[in-house]
Amino acid sequence: MSVPNGIIECMFDSDLLAADDATVVAAIEDGTRAEAAAAARRLAAIAELARRRVDDDDERANWAFDGWDSAAAEVAAAMTVGHRRASGQMRIAVALRDRLTRVAALYLQGLVSSRVVSAITWRTQLVEDPEAIALIDAALAESARTWGRLSEQKLDQKIDAWIERFDPAAVRRTESSKRSRDFSIGDLDDPAETTSVWGRLLTTDAAVLKRRVAAMVAGVCDEDPRSMGERRSDAVGAIVAGSDRLACKCGSERCAADSAQASSNIVIHVLAEQSAVEAASREQAPTAGKAPAALIVGEGIVPTPLLSELIRGGAKVRPIAMPSDDAEPRYQPSAGLAEFVRMRDLFCRAPGCDVPADRCDIDHTIPYPHGPTHASNLKCLCRKNHLMKTFDGWQDVQLPDGTVIWTSPSGRKYTTKPGSRLFFEKWDTTTADLPPPPILVPTDADRGLMMPKRRRTRAAEFASRIRSERTRNQAPAPF
């Protein structure tokens, strides 16, 4: 929508300026209820799409990309989220529709929050008996209105108390501390220079890691300028790179510490403009307002000081060559062409997907051999979305600048741009127009790959996990 200069009115400055405090707080409460009700309506639509797409008796139930995946792909595109999160939203939606109808009714009225609903659908997942889930649903609907302010732990305890009353085997408690272990890397609040890491390990693994880090830290000399905390951090970095030693940074040629490090076969690609590389080589700060100095492919921004350290440490600097205007004569792209496509795209090109390009397949938009092995016909797709495009009725059109226009089976259109456009606006990734398609005589061999099959259906796998966890919950405690 075109708006004349100077006439843009911001709702944050207009509606509530003259209101008293009570009216402002009431608006917050109304907005919270409206937000919950809108989320409930969205989940109702997701549940309906799942009903239309998922048929456990259909032959597609045994496909690697089944009806559930088909629905999740459209949910992911509509919500601009990844496939895994879309699938999680479907689990919540189907549980509300089929198992927790009274909680769903409260949600549609905006009387319970999305946080509470998410906890309820997860904690009640092991309940199998229809009568038990009906009783739990009624009890939770009666109690849940006042749970919005509870901590996560207390919220879980409230829900579990009702599950314990009607179906004790369904309480998620078996080996709870072991099953809650996780390991996370990265947080939205991380500064550019460092990445936070946190998690929970098995006690035995933690003991081994602790001793190994301590031994590596002890291996550097007393003149190493780093603090003990920095040494421990760098030791973990050395471990993940495949080394068993921490290089000393005292800078002395007479250092007695053995700083030799094992080489690693892990390659990290850093994409940077030439000006950023030159500034890093001279250890100068980039000009204010410029694009980020560099980018770790699939991760995040690398500031100039860290880029300087990488270059001093021997990182190879190699320009990304623009591909030839001519198509390559084979299905598999050359290393140079593949590198250009991955660096241009940075992520999976399906709507909402953020799988890094180095973990993606390279897909021919117009299938080979009708479509050439050419930069304007190649893009990155994660394996899940590659199956989606090949077998699920999605249509895609690719433009020479890397833009991809998708049409879903429902007829909705979504446009994705190369990931590099977000960070390097001046990099012109436009490649040549596609050459005329070859004239081919169809043969029986000219067929797509067969869909990979599951060993058992998704529904059977899900039911098996539920039964296994219930069985563990009922096992006698060890002495």
Side-chain angles (χ1 to χ4, degrees), residues 44-333:
I46 290 173
E48 174 59 20
L49 183 65
R51 185 190 68 79
R52 299 182 183 194
R53 293 284 189 273
V54 181
D55 183 355
D56 293 335
D57 296 325
D58 185 79
E59 65 170 352
R60 290 186 57 177
N62 286 104
W63 286 14
F65 192 92
D66 57 4
W68 184 275
D69 281 328
S70 177
E74 293 206 60
V75 171
M79 292 182 62
T80 318
V81 299
H83 194 94
R84 183 182 294 273
R85 184 177 175 191
S87 183
Q89 290 288 290
M90 288 171 60
R91 288 287 179 203
I92 296 173
V94 171
L96 291 171
R97 180 195 66 194
D98 296 344
R99 294 160 54 85
L100 299 161
T101 55
R102 296 192 183 190
V103 171
L106 283 183
Y107 196 24
L108 281 166
Q109 298 173 59
L111 298 179
V112 291
S113 68
S114 299
R115 170 177 169 264
V116 170
V117 167
S118 178
I120 288 174
T121 55
W122 167 249
R123 305 300 297 181
T124 59
Q125 199 173 74
L126 301 184
V127 182
E128 292 185 306
D129 180 61
E131 183 177 348
I133 193 64
L135 291 170
I136 293 169
D137 180 34
L140 291 174
E142 184 69 26
S143 306
R145 300 181 189 216
T146 62
W147 287 356
R149 297 178 181 87
L150 293 177
S151 67
E152 183 174 343
Q153 182 179 11
K154 290 182 178 179
L155 176 60
D156 289 348
Q157 290 173 349
K158 288 283 190 180
I159 298 168
D160 288 350
W162 287 109
I163 301 173
E164 178 79 40
R165 178 176 298 187
F166 297 110
D167 188 359
V171 177
R172 290 188 179 275
R173 59 190 170 194
T174 304
E175 298 180 314
S176 58
S177 62
K178 286 174 61 178
R179 290 189 291 111
S180 66
R181 67 186 186 276
D182 192 5
F183 198 80
S184 301
I185 301 174
D187 185 80
L188 292 175
D189 296 328
D190 286 341
E193 296 87 352
T194 60
T195 298
S196 57
V197 177
W198 72 99
R200 183 182 295 275
L201 303 175
L202 291 174
T203 301
T204 50
D205 293 339
V208 172
L209 178 61
K210 186 175 181 179
R211 293 188 181 189
R212 187 172 180 186
V213 168
M216 293 171 69
V217 168
V220 300
C221 78
D222 293 339
E223 302 303 318
D224 187 293
R226 292 169 293 187
S227 68
M228 290 301 295
E230 290 171 329
R231 294 179 192 181
R232 286 192 293 268
S233 174
D234 291 351
V236 174
I239 289 171
V240 298
S243 178
D244 59 358
R245 296 180 181 86
L246 177 62
C248 186
K249 290 197 172 184
C250 68
S252 171
E253 295 181 356
R254 298 188 300 275
C255 178
D258 182 2
S259 62
Q261 297 204 48
S263 61
S264 171
N265 59 358
I266 298 174
V267 176
I268 303 296
H269 288 93
V270 177
L271 188 62
E273 292 179 338
Q274 182 62 33
S275 58
V277 174
E278 293 172 353
S281 300
R282 297 190 300 269
E283 300 189 21
Q284 295 178 345
T287 304
K290 290 281 187 179
L295 186 78
I296 296 178
V297 175
E299 297 297 335
I301 295 170
V302 177
T304 298
L306 184 53
L307 185 60
S308 299
E309 187 170 337
L310 291 173
I311 292 174
R312 287 197 308 271
K316 297 179 180 178
V317 178
R318 185 179 69 251
I320 299 173
M322 289 296 290
S324 169
D325 291 349
D326 299 324
E328 295 187 347
R330 64 189 68 84
Y331 171 78
Q332 192 73 24

Side-chain angles (χ1 to χ4, degrees), residues 245-440:
R245 296 180 181 86
L246 177 62
C248 186
K249 290 197 172 184
C250 68
S252 171
E253 295 181 356
R254 298 188 300 275
C255 178
D258 182 2
S259 62
Q261 297 204 48
S263 61
S264 171
N265 59 358
I266 298 174
V267 176
I268 303 296
H269 288 93
V270 177
L271 188 62
E273 292 179 338
Q274 182 62 33
S275 58
V277 174
E278 293 172 353
S281 300
R282 297 190 300 269
E283 300 189 21
Q284 295 178 345
T287 304
K290 290 281 187 179
L295 186 78
I296 296 178
V297 175
E299 297 297 335
I301 295 170
V302 177
T304 298
L306 184 53
L307 185 60
S308 299
E309 187 170 337
L310 291 173
I311 292 174
R312 287 197 308 271
K316 297 179 180 178
V317 178
R318 185 179 69 251
I320 299 173
M322 289 296 290
S324 169
D325 291 349
D326 299 324
E328 295 187 347
R330 64 189 68 84
Y331 171 78
Q332 192 73 24
S334 65
L337 178 55
E339 180 181 61
F340 171 81
V341 172
R342 294 189 193 280
M343 297 303 103
R344 179 199 65 194
D345 290 353
L346 292 182
F347 304 98
C348 172
R349 299 301 307 282
C353 190
D354 59 359
V355 173
D358 58 351
R359 303 209 314 261
C360 290
D361 301 333
I362 293 184
D363 169 64
H364 287 71
T365 298
I366 302 172
Y368 184 87
H370 300 281
T373 302
H374 186 283
S376 297
N377 190 50
L378 298 175
K379 63 181 181 299
C380 293
L381 286 181
C382 70
R383 184 58 54 86
K384 181 75 71 175
N385 284 317
H386 200 166
L387 291 174
M388 172 198 81
K389 181 234 172 153
T390 305
F391 295 101
D392 198 40
W394 286 73
Q395 303 295 322
D396 53 338
V397 175
Q398 183 170 338
L399 306 182
D401 68 351
T403 298
V404 180
I405 303 168
W406 292 89
T407 304
S408 74
S410 301
R412 308 292 294 178
K413 290 190 178 295
Y414 305 94
T415 299
T416 68
K417 300 285 186 180
S420 59
R421 293 271 294 275
L422 298 172
F423 303 97
F424 305 98
E425 296 179 359
K426 293 183 179 180
W427 185 25
D428 185 3
T429 58
T430 303
T431 48
D433 291 331
L434 294 181
I439 299 175
L440 298 172

